[in-house]
Amino acid sequence: MPDNSNSTKEEVRLQVFLAHSGVASRRACEKIILDGRVSVNGVVITELGTKVTSKDKITVDGKAVSLEEQKRYVLLYKPLGVVCTQSDEKGRPCAVDLLKERYTERLYNVGRLDMFSHGALIFTNDGDFAAKLSHPSAEIEKEYIVESSLPLPRYLAENFKRGVRVEGVFYKAKDAEELNSHKMRVVLVEGKNREIRRVFENAGVAIRNLCRVRIGNVELGELKPGDFRDLTEKEVQDLLRLCKN
């Protein structure tokens, strides 16, 4: 697994320290700093150039954070009706809460699935891993099985592969294959917000079920909703090798 132990021995940028502490991805940590939510030794820091060591007292929203020696990489089968946030002001169940009995580390999701979709979702406390995997330039494949209420238009899969413009936004699947009259396999590499739903809705097709079955080389396999497992070291390294950035 990636080793960040050298971060404890030398000065590092504050956003790097926060990412290695499992707060969020490095990019998300930059925004947390700019929003004035981070203090170092009692002083609020809003500049990204600040450097710290493990001896500094660092807090986020008043809560102390420290480097986590154990890096976690977890595949969760996110159930329907569960949201991909650390907490929800509406009181809806959060995917990360399904992991808290097993893991003491602060984990966060790499990418998202809307609450009406289910399937593969990766969690980690490794900010570098999360940033690399989630960046659009990584072009990591995500595979979905989509089931419709009514028969699929014969042209939909081919159109999705060629590219479809919906309300000024261009959506293009890396692959799309009709499995039967009510089911399609879709592979995305960018995954814009609600991409599959927007393309299907634009074609007048109501989605009955949307499940993500694969992220890169990692497949959902025999997991059931709410189940999770640690990724193997090989799966982690293969995911990083698949990244094109």
Side-chain angles (χ1 to χ4, degrees), residues 34-53:
L34 293 173
D35 287 345
R37 297 168 56 190
V38 182
S39 295
V40 177
N41 301 324
V43 179
V44 175
I45 302 297
T46 57
E47 296 181 1
L48 299 180
T50 303
K51 291 190 175 183
V52 297
T53 73

Side-chain angles (χ1 to χ4, degrees), residues 21-221:
S21 300
V23 173
S25 70
R26 190 177 304 187
R27 182 173 295 182
C29 287
E30 290 178 352
K31 185 176 188 306
I32 290 171
I33 294 169
L34 293 173
D35 287 345
R37 297 168 56 190
V38 182
S39 295
V40 177
N41 301 324
V43 179
V44 175
I45 302 297
T46 57
E47 296 181 1
L48 299 180
T50 303
K51 291 190 175 183
V52 297
T53 73
S54 59
K55 294 181 179 179
D56 291 308
K57 182 180 179 181
I58 300 168
T59 63
V60 177
D61 297 331
K63 297 180 180 179
V65 298
S66 58
L67 292 173
E68 293 179 345
E69 295 182 5
Q70 179 67 52
K71 292 303 174 188
R72 297 290 187 184
Y73 309 88
V74 181
L75 174 66
L76 169 73
Y77 187 144
K78 186 193 88 68
L80 289 168
V82 174
V83 297
C84 293
T85 56
Q86 293 294 313
S87 60
D88 186 71
E89 59 185 19
K90 297 180 180 179
R92 296 172 297 187
C94 300
V96 71
D97 291 338
L98 298 171
L99 307 175
K100 288 184 176 178
E101 285 191 14
R102 171 79 65 85
Y103 304 98
T104 58
E105 295 85 2
R106 180 173 178 173
L107 303 177
Y108 50 92
N109 45 289
V110 182
R112 291 175 176 270
L113 276 175
D114 67 53
M115 69 178 296
F116 303 110
S117 302
H118 59 115
L121 188 63
I122 292 176
F123 281 80
T124 188
N125 61 343
D126 184 340
D128 292 337
F129 173 82
K132 191 172 183 65
L133 215 66
S134 59
H135 198 278
S137 64
E139 297 187 11
I140 293 291
E141 289 186 357
K142 288 101 174 174
E143 182 175 342
Y144 303 80
I145 300 298
V146 190
E147 298 179 50
S148 61
S149 301
L150 299 174
L152 296 166
R154 294 280 82 89
Y155 60 83
L156 183 55
E158 287 303 315
N159 279 5
F160 205 169
K161 286 193 290 185
R162 285 197 298 265
V164 179
R165 190 170 295 279
V166 181
E167 296 180 354
V169 181
F170 188 70
Y171 302 103
K172 186 176 186 297
K174 182 173 182 179
D175 193 22
E177 175 189 11
E178 188 176 310
L179 301 177
N180 61 42
S181 62
H182 289 72
K183 184 183 293 187
M184 186 183 297
R185 182 181 70 88
V186 178
V187 178
L188 304 178
V189 292
E190 187 175 354
K192 296 172 182 172
N193 184 39
R194 294 176 56 82
E195 178 166 352
I196 293 175
R197 294 189 183 278
R198 292 183 190 279
V199 170
F200 273 61
E201 289 168 3
N202 185 63
V205 179
I207 291 177
R208 182 170 63 86
N209 188 46
L210 198 164
C211 181
R212 183 157 67 196
V213 297
R214 178 174 64 87
I215 301 172
N217 57 301
V218 177
E219 297 185 357
L220 202 56

